[in-house]
Amino acid sequence: MTTIADRLKLAQCRIAQAEQEHHRPAQSVNLLAVSKTKPLSDIIQAYQAGQRRFGENYVQEGQQKIIDLAQDYPDIEWHFIGPLQSNKTRIIAEHFHWLHTLGREKIAQRLHQQRPQDKPPLNVCIQVNISGEDSKAGVTLAEVPALANIIHSLPKLKLRGIMAIPSQQANFDNAGQAQAQLSKEFSQLKACFDTLKQTYPQLDTLSMGMSDDLSLAIAHGSTLVRIGSAIFGAR
Ligand SMILES: *Cc1c(COP(=O)(O)O)cnc(C)c1O
């Protein structure tokens, strides 16, 4: 039977392999362990195996986990990667270290107002709707610079980069087509990130790539891959 520690190690190996294969510096890609719906005991197992970055999708569930683990595991870095409605921004501002899914000015303003004075700025990524599907959150590529400009003007937010969830591979007729579409989307995201970096040189995070497309995302410059079920098992 494989354990969470085994699967975590395997995920790290896959990242290291992809870095090598695609001529990326070693350890230039971070692993975000997506622990949504999983119990505290799973997070603790991953922690004990060395993992420190965890991603959550649901506001209340994430808040509760952060509160429960704060005392004994104060060095966990909590990333919110789910959809965020404006009436839930306070919880994110007060508890999380990172938000990957910032897609609206109004949300940015609220997070800035609600971020406690005694905490460092909230790290944020702009979510880009790269697939153009109506069901997906995020701004278009063309809208990124304007939102970046707003975020940059809010001192309690720290713009770190961009994030995207690409087209689902299952939506394509064959693997070749899916691969071509994914490559195109990842390239567009990388180009957007590089352009944005010319204005904001401190940007360091291109959050793209999940279990199935990790290697392709790393080939295209991802700096952070988000992996859940491959570490914690099916949900
Ligand atoms: C759930 C989720 C993941 C991880 O997905 P798995 O299939 O469990 O690896 C990554 N990114 C986002 C935004 C998610 O919601």
Side-chain angles (χ1 to χ4, degrees):
M1 211 188 86
T2 59
T3 63
I4 287 175
D6 294 334
R7 293 191 295 256
L8 191 57
K9 203 172 218 174
L10 197 64
Q12 281 157 348
C13 279
R14 286 178 64 202
I15 292 171
Q17 251 171 16
E19 284 172 341
Q20 210 172 27
E21 198 179 328
H22 302 294
H23 311 290
R24 301 279 313 277
Q27 273 141 40
S28 57
V29 181
N30 293 310
L31 169 60
L32 181 67
V34 178
S35 46
K36 63 185 178 208
T37 78
K38 297 296 175 179
L40 295 179
S41 55
D42 282 8
I43 297 174
I44 293 169
Q45 279 183 54
Y47 182 95
Q48 283 166 344
Q51 182 66 27
R52 292 294 179 271
R53 285 186 192 85
F54 292 89
E56 290 287 334
N57 276 61
Y58 307 105
V59 176
Q60 269 98 1
E61 178 192 336
Q63 173 191 27
Q64 194 57 50
K65 285 173 172 172
I66 294 172
I67 292 170
D68 290 343
L69 294 175
Q71 186 102 46
D72 293 337
Y73 307 95
D75 59 343
I76 291 182
E77 191 178 87
W78 292 102
H79 294 236
F80 190 77
I81 61 172
L84 179 57
Q85 291 168 339
S86 56
N87 61 349
K88 302 268 178 67
T89 51
R90 181 175 297 280
I91 297 176
I92 302 302
E94 291 183 349
H95 294 277
F96 280 82
H97 302 97
W98 281 73
L99 169 69
H100 288 228
T101 49
L102 188 50
R104 280 158 58 199
E105 173 179 355
K106 181 181 169 194
I107 303 258
Q109 299 281 6
R110 288 176 67 93
L111 289 165
H112 166 70
Q113 282 155 13
Q114 294 166 342
R115 184 71 169 170
Q117 281 300 347
D118 62 343
K119 293 211 177 207
L122 179 68
N123 298 291
V124 300
C125 291
I126 294 173
Q127 183 174 5
V128 181
N129 181 359
I130 194 67
S131 69
E133 293 162 286
D134 288 344
S135 59
K136 295 249 171 81
V139 300
T140 65
L141 286 169
E143 291 165 338
V144 169
L147 185 56
N149 190 35
I150 288 162
I151 295 167
H152 188 67
S153 73
L154 302 171
K156 284 197 274 170
L157 301 185
K158 185 172 183 182
L159 182 61
R160 299 295 294 264
I162 61 177
M163 175 273 199
I165 303 170
S167 295
Q168 282 201 310
Q169 301 190 38
N171 293 350
F172 293 89
D173 290 342
N174 62 61
Q177 269 179 23
Q179 194 83 350
Q181 180 64 24
L182 272 185
S183 280
K184 183 178 137 197
E185 293 178 9
F186 285 148
S187 307
Q188 289 173 328
L189 290 162
K190 171 70 160 120
C192 172
F193 180 63
D194 287 344
T195 304
L196 206 57
K197 241 176 110 101
Q198 289 173 3
T199 311
Y200 311 104
Q202 70 280 11
L203 298 197
D204 58 6
T205 304
L206 181 51
S207 168
M208 62 183 193
M210 300 167 39
S211 307
D212 292 339
D213 54 20
L214 162 163
S215 180
L216 196 64
I218 291 174
H220 285 94
S222 167
T223 71
L224 181 145
V225 292
R226 309 177 305 261
I227 300 184
S229 45
I231 296 170
F232 297 108
R235 287 182 296 274

